[in-house]
């Protein structure tokens, strides 16, 4: 099957030739797996993506969800796709057998999911959120909560949401104001009544499934202010009996739909909790059940944050990848213009891929999307290590690497795979700007990714303000060690290109260390963090240079066009991309205060 | 009046304090003008933009033109706006009094037009094309053609189009295939019948005006192949009698509408000429009148190209500027989060403009849009010089500068003011991604600008392949001389900042000269032009650094927040933006062949 979603050849290179995922099969959790079962899962995912999700990509963009005053109307293909996804076992893919899962490594599961994201990110939103919701309940919910809510989610009978933001509190979760008032006990633990408004809730209201499990951040009376006073609650759309049946509507009401530039297939809502539209048990207030301990809600959410953010990065990659393959196909088939060296108008026009500037735009896309996919898979592989490595030390190491790489895995593809989508349009010329070609929608869809699950600015503060300094800089040191190993391996090949790239990466790594030390030495948090976004961007490019060198190393000594392509994309990254960081580090080193010193009145 | 379209204070600074447009009033053509008449024109434009164009910006995006099989349905506001624009004298603004014009300098006229573009680029498309069409006819049409077609356009009774592209020939006009067969004589000169298809025709079919004047590129029988065999024809939608009345439909038929990402208010069409849908004079074939000489059509079009491309750049600036002011307003009013140095959750959230990273995004936008506007106005000022300077030498100099600056004036704002729109969304967070805030539409609208009127790639070939080499490098030398004068003036102030920036610009200018010489010394057109887009981008940033230094110089010695803002934006440009070019020039210098060497089969 050759889809224009992802290159299967590339996926297999990354999984098997680079990340050696079959070695995971030696571990007890994955003992039933093999290259064959992994390939089977990929086949299934690519088939469902192509046959079930892709055909309505465009339709779900045009026929947005609508609220008719009674219910939200969503095109029926969304439900069909959700069911097919569940049916194929993809919802529970990485979960334990006892929860209906396949105990698939996350690395392979994410590769599967990337096909679905590339095919139709709007429809993929429903299973994505459902799986994430169930995953959180499996980690922090009680057995009764798991049985009543997580199991039906993993079976595809219920869907899930994450309700964090409020109209006045997007990035600033410290300001969550939704109240949770004690309301006795229940079979699912302490019961509360919730009152408040939640904004940007994807898949917040629909009838794709029989019920929706909202996971809601709220404050109990007397909770400490800020992020340390937020608890997590299960608030089902319909109350659930101990027999698992769905009963009366809970007091969760749709207040409005958000109409977005892209991602239109995923209904995005403003929800009112406890406004009295419904009266469960005869009175207003949204019935909710406390998950875990009081006041620890945000830490439960953040426990899942690395995986969620890697997932957003993966979505950005998938959209970029699909656009790349569309523009490659277009460039191979569209005749226009003539070589610069032979402008004879009587000669036939050439295919536009023969123009160097078009190849530049394709090669940049290739470097961005294949690099982004590699980073996403690498991070998923770290999650697998974190959960299943043989000894504690390896698990801790994987965790630490994940901590420092997650802001990059989220932000880098959100920036550069969007840039890839921009180039995909440009390759198409005027046609790419019309809604007749998929690249137009892919670009609009991808513009969300630098915003949700923590904006670029938030990722930057996370990286520079926390991650590089955590445990006395241990995460950064560890990442440096990993890079140094790759550098040494590249040098050891004796290959001229690999050696040159290794030197360039070694220089860049020194620069990261020097700049980071210089910033912290300044002991002026305001001034240091003022340029955190620039640091994030420069740091990200260094990480990707490393990822590209590692790929080139995996391709080393192998003959064939595929490997030649990997080498050329690596060359592109080292010649065209990594040097961008030189002036960026220079600016960071001098603690530039241009933006900090800018005043409101000067605008 | 304080609109969120452009800063009037900035417009006045550029026109009066920097470009000294009132000095033009000493010239015979502009003798009736003064600061008062210029301000009056700006007042009128800002009022019409705000009161007539802006109110339906959103509506013209949502309610796209539709073809019902009979006619194209366009919201009535478009016609009202067109009429108001004509009524205010803006259609004919820069034209001679004898054609109903105001003999307004183009610099002032473009400032007026920028308000309208910022308010509603979709509705602005109709008068924009009409004015450009009439302008071309005034330059190259016969008196009879001018009376019958240009005058009604300038009066707002007819609209105009430019029909260049064909489905198989977008950037490659050498492949224009529309045929023009001789059909005797007419009161408007030699008559032809045209047969062919034209693609991407903006304002190609509507009933906003009583008639549409298509200017169409086509080939006569036996014409030489390529660009030297293309002639230009007037093809009216309805035939026009010598009495000026509109008669039967010409054989120009709508074949379809293009549905775009943005710019939706401007109907964009595929037109069939001579397919026989209509039968003027009893038989198929679109009646057309030759403009000027045979085979010189493209040169007539290119005669207007500088102004047209500066106009596209101006449109990109206007969209970026409107987004900047929207996001500035949002940042000043949206409370969220707390300073990095005081995270007490019990304290009130601050307005987001107090976060340095938000100021970074606003300052970058300010540098892009104010820089872009300054460059656009500077180029318009050169057009005024080209047409009205006292002596031949000055006119020739202005022409030469325009030649080399036009690719920058078109491409730089198309890239960086789109980047500004991207930042405007980011400042808004999730809200910016919804269609409830104008920044979403502005971003989609602006994505067209790197494509039409010559893509980035085409501008790059124009700059590196032609302009820097023209007349033995004279244009580049002249630009260097102009920059050197600014550098000297900046040094002469003795001001530490201005001097530092002058040195940086002097370095950059040397680099441009060195790199350009190195490229040409290679004598390998294929390899040189492979990286033309990179050259365009680096060159553009150097030009903008110059434009910023010139603005800072105009602000020098002046106290006040407005001038402080100019200085800080200049500082931003020199610290954050100009250094980007260092690795770009390095890559150009080594004649990097990464993209050239990339092969189709390696993708």
């Amino acid at each position: 099957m050759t889809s224009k979603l992802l290159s299967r050849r590339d996926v297999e290179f990354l999984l098997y030739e680079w990340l050696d995922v079959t070695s995971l099969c030696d571990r007890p959790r994955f003992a039933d797996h093999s290259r064959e079962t992994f390939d089977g899962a990929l086949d299934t995912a690519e088939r469902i993506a192509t046959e079930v999700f892709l055909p309505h990509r465009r339709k779900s963009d045009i026929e947005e969800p609508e609220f008719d005053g009674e219910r939200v109307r969503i095109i029926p293909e969304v439900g069909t796709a959700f069911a097919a996804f569940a049916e194929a076992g993809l919802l529970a893919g990485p979960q334990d057998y006892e929860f209906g899962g396949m105990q698939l490594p996350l690395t392979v599961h994410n590769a599967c999911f990337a096909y679905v994201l590339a095919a139709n990110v709007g429809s993929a939103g429903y299973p994505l959120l459902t799986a994430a919701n169930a995953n959180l309940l499996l980690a922090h919910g009680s057995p009764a909560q798991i049985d009543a809510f997580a199991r039906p989610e993993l079976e595809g009978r219920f869907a899930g949401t994450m309700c964090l933001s409020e109209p006045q509190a997007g990035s600033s979760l410290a300001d969550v104001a939704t109240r949770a008032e004690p309301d006795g006990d229940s079979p699912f633990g302490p019961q509360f009544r919730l009152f408040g408004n939640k904004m940007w809730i994807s898949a917040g209201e629909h009838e794709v499934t029989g019920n929706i499990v909202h996971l809601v951040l709220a404050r109990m009376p007397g909770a400490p202010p800020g992020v340390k006073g937020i608890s997590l609650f299960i608030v089902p759309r319909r109350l659930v009996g101990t027999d698992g049946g769905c009963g009366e509507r809970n007091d969760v009401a749709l207040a409005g739909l958000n109409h977005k530039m892209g991602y239109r297939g995923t209904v995005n809502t403003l929800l009112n909790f406890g406004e009295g539209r419904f009266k469960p048990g005869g009175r207003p207030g949204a019935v909710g059940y406390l998950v875990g301990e009081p006041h620890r809600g945000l830490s439960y959410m953040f426990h899942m944050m690395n995986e969620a953010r890697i997932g957003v990065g993966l979505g950005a990659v998938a959209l970029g990848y699909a656009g790349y393959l569309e523009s490659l196909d277009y460039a191979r088939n569209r005749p226009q213009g003539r070589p610069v060296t032979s402008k004879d108008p009587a000669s036939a026009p050439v295919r536009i891929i023969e123009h160097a500037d078009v190849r530049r735009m394709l090669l940049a896309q290739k470097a961005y999307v294949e690099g982004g996919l590699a980073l996403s898979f690498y991070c998923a592989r770290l999650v697998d290590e974190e959960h299943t490595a043989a000894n504690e030390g390896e698990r801790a190491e994987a965790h630490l690497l994940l901590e420092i790489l997650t802001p990059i895995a989220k932000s880098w593809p959100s920036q550069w795979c969007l840039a890839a989508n921009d180039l995909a349009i440009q390759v198409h010329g005027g046609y790419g700007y019309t809604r007749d070609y998929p690249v137009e929608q892919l670009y609009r869809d991808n513009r969300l990714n630098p915003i949700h699950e923590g904006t670029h600015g938030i990722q930057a503060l996370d990286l520079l303000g926390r991650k590089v300094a955590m445990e006395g800089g241990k995460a950064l040191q560890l990442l440096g060690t990993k890079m140094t190993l790759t550098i040494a391996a590249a040098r050891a090949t004796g290959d001229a290109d690999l050696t040159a790239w290794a030197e360039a990466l070694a220089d860049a790594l020194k620069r990261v260390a020097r700049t980071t030390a210089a910033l912290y030495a300044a002991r002026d948090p305001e001034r240091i963090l003022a340029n955190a976004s620039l640091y994030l961007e420069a740091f990200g490019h260094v990480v990707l240079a490393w990822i590209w060198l590692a790929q080139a190393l995996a391709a080393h000594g192998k003959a064939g066009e595929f490997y030649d392509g990997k080498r050329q994309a690596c060359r592109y990254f080292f010649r065209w991309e990594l040097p961008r960081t030189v002036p960026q580090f220079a600016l960071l080193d001098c603690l530039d205060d241009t933006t900090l010193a800018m005043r409101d009145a000067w605008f």
Side-chain angles (χ1 to χ4, degrees), chain A:
Chain A
M1 182 186 299
T2 52
S3 66
K4 283 191 282 183
L5 301 176
L6 304 174
S7 154
R8 178 68 177 260
R9 181 69 189 84
D10 187 31
V11 168
E12 293 183 0
F13 168 77
L14 294 175
L15 295 181
Y16 304 127
E17 297 181 61
W18 180 45
L19 295 173
D20 191 20
V21 290
T22 47
S23 70
L24 289 169
C25 306
D26 297 339
R27 297 182 187 171
R29 181 172 181 83
F30 307 123
D32 295 340
H33 283 291
S34 63
R35 168 89 191 229
E36 285 64 38
T37 65
F38 294 161
D39 283 346
L42 291 170
D43 288 342
T44 301
E46 187 166 5
R47 184 176 52 75
I48 287 178
T50 307
E51 295 175 5
V52 186
F53 280 79
L54 183 60
H56 69 285
R57 172 160 72 189
R58 185 84 189 90
K59 184 177 177 186
S60 64
D61 184 63
I62 300 171
E63 298 183 29
E64 257 181 314
E66 274 181 22
F67 183 51
D68 64 10
E70 272 294 308
R71 55 187 55 184
V72 172
R73 306 174 73 89
I74 293 178
I75 57 170
E77 287 86 346
V78 171
T80 309
F82 189 88
F85 191 92
E87 180 74 21
L90 291 168
L91 259 178
Q95 304 299 347
D96 297 354
Y97 294 137
E98 64 162 311
F99 298 115
M102 295 192 282
Q103 300 196 175
L104 209 54
L106 191 74
T107 318
V108 178
H109 177 72
N110 276 10
C112 293
F113 204 66
Y115 277 104
V116 178
L117 289 163
N120 187 329
V121 81
S123 289
Y126 301 85
L128 176 80
L129 282 159
T130 302
N133 182 303
N135 202 23
L136 193 150
L137 287 177
L138 290 181
H140 302 290
S142 66
Q145 290 172 342
I146 289 172
D147 286 344
F149 303 107
R151 283 186 187 274
E153 287 187 292
L154 293 173
E155 291 161 11
R157 295 189 290 113
F158 292 2
T161 75
M162 299 285 189
C163 302
L164 288 77
S165 297
E166 299 180 358
Q168 83 296 348
S171 294
S172 178
L173 291 173
D175 293 307
V176 159
T178 296
R179 290 177 296 118
E181 298 183 354
D183 189 36
D185 215 344
S186 83
F188 310 119
Q191 180 167 310
F192 289 77
R193 292 280 182 152
L194 275 72
F195 304 88
N197 312 306
K198 290 291 177 178
M199 187 58 164
W200 309 121
I201 310 309
S202 286
E205 173 60 15
H206 59 77
E207 294 181 1
V208 169
T209 49
N211 204 352
I212 301 174
V213 181
H214 302 291
L215 281 174
V216 185
L217 293 181
R219 288 181 192 285
M220 295 180 188
V227 293
K228 291 182 179 158
I230 300 173
S231 305
L232 182 66
F233 301 88
I234 295 165
V235 182
R237 180 174 183 267
R238 289 185 178 279
L239 297 186
V240 172
T242 44
D243 61 349
C246 294
E248 64 179 323
R249 275 293 293 270
N250 200 354
D251 193 7
V252 183
L254 181 71
L257 300 185
N258 294 308
H259 295 289
K260 296 168 299 175
M261 181 193 295
Y263 260 82
R264 294 186 183 187
T266 308
V267 63
N268 189 274
T269 62
L270 171 58
L271 295 179
N272 288 350
F273 290 79
E275 69 167 17
R277 180 94 62 91
F278 302 95
K279 296 190 171 57
R283 61 193 179 81
V287 173
Y289 313 107
L290 179 68
V291 177
E293 305 284 315
H295 313 325
R296 299 205 47 209
L298 212 59
S299 73
Y300 299 149
M301 281 285 184
F302 272 85
H303 180 206
M304 298 294 151
M305 198 55 92
N306 285 345
E307 286 177 51
R309 288 179 169 174
I310 292 165
V312 169
L314 185 70
V317 171
L319 293 168
Y321 217 123
Y324 162 58
L325 295 179
E326 291 288 345
S327 66
L328 178 59
D329 183 62
Y330 185 84
R332 282 177 167 157
N333 290 292
R334 166 80 173 172
Q336 178 140 212
R338 288 161 188 85
V340 290
T341 49
S342 108
K343 288 289 186 194
D344 175 11
S347 65
V350 299
R351 298 170 311 133
I352 62 171
I353 199 169
E354 298 187 32
H355 302 308
D357 194 51
V358 171
R359 289 203 299 285
R360 172 186 65 81
M361 293 190 279
L362 293 170
L363 188 52
Q365 287 180 69
K366 182 180 168 76
Y368 299 153
V369 305
E370 293 185 7
L373 193 67
L375 175 63
S376 292
F377 286 2
Y378 182 83
C379 288
R381 185 77 169 76
L382 289 177
V383 175
D384 284 325
E385 288 300 309
E386 186 186 20
H387 292 158
T388 69
N391 68 65
E392 175 60 32
E394 285 171 349
R395 293 197 295 275
E397 185 179 293
H399 175 74
L400 212 52
L401 272 176
L402 259 183
E403 287 286 291
I404 196 163
L405 285 176
T406 294
I408 309 299
K410 194 276 175 183
S411 67
W412 196 89
S414 298
Q415 178 173 359
W416 296 98
C417 295
L418 174 60
N421 285 131
D422 180 74
L423 291 168
I425 289 176
Q426 199 67 15
V427 167
H428 282 73
Y431 292 98
Y433 191 66
T434 69
R435 279 124 62 200
D436 298 325
Y437 286 78
V439 291
E440 185 270 343
Q441 181 183 341
L442 294 168
Y443 175 73
R444 283 188 289 105
D445 286 346
N446 221 351
R447 182 61 188 83
L448 177 59
N449 286 312
I451 298 173
H452 67 166
E453 283 293 329
T455 61
H456 260 38
I458 295 294
Q459 303 301 325
L461 293 178
D462 184 42
L463 179 67
L464 182 56
R466 295 181 43 220
K467 298 299 178 59
V468 297
M470 72 186 287
E471 301 188 22
K474 212 169 143 190
L476 183 58
Q477 280 164 27
L478 180 60
L479 180 61
T481 305
K482 291 285 171 192
M483 288 193 188
T484 304
L485 287 172
T486 309
I487 290 165
R491 283 175 179 148
T493 61
D495 178 87
D497 283 336
L498 285 171
T499 305
W501 301 332
E503 299 314 322
L505 181 60
D507 282 350
L509 180 59
K510 267 186 226 141
R511 222 179 280 265
V512 170
R514 200 170 60 210
T515 298
T516 308
L519 289 173
Y520 272 89
R523 297 183 182 283
D524 180 346
E526 203 181 1
R527 190 148 177 178
I528 295 168
L529 293 175
N531 296 338
S533 288
L534 185 67
Y535 181 85
L536 176 74
E537 195 173 322
F539 194 107
H541 252 45
V542 175
V543 168
L544 265 289
W546 167 53
I547 292 288
W548 266 111
L549 182 59
Q551 288 187 80
L553 206 48
H556 179 60
K558 298 179 183 175
E561 288 163 344
F562 174 80
Y563 301 108
D564 289 336
K566 281 287 177 195
R567 281 183 278 272
Q568 196 71 358
C570 184
R571 173 172 293 119
Y572 169 83
F573 204 90
F574 275 89
R575 291 211 184 152
W576 286 67
E577 296 292 336
L578 186 59
R580 290 183 200 265
T581 62
V582 175
Q584 292 173 333
F585 283 118
L587 194 57
L588 288 163
D589 286 346
C590 70
L591 285 165
D592 179 72
D593 72 344
T594 308
T595 63
L596 191 63
M598 183 68 186
R599 296 189 198 162
D600 182 347
W602 294 355
F603 283 109

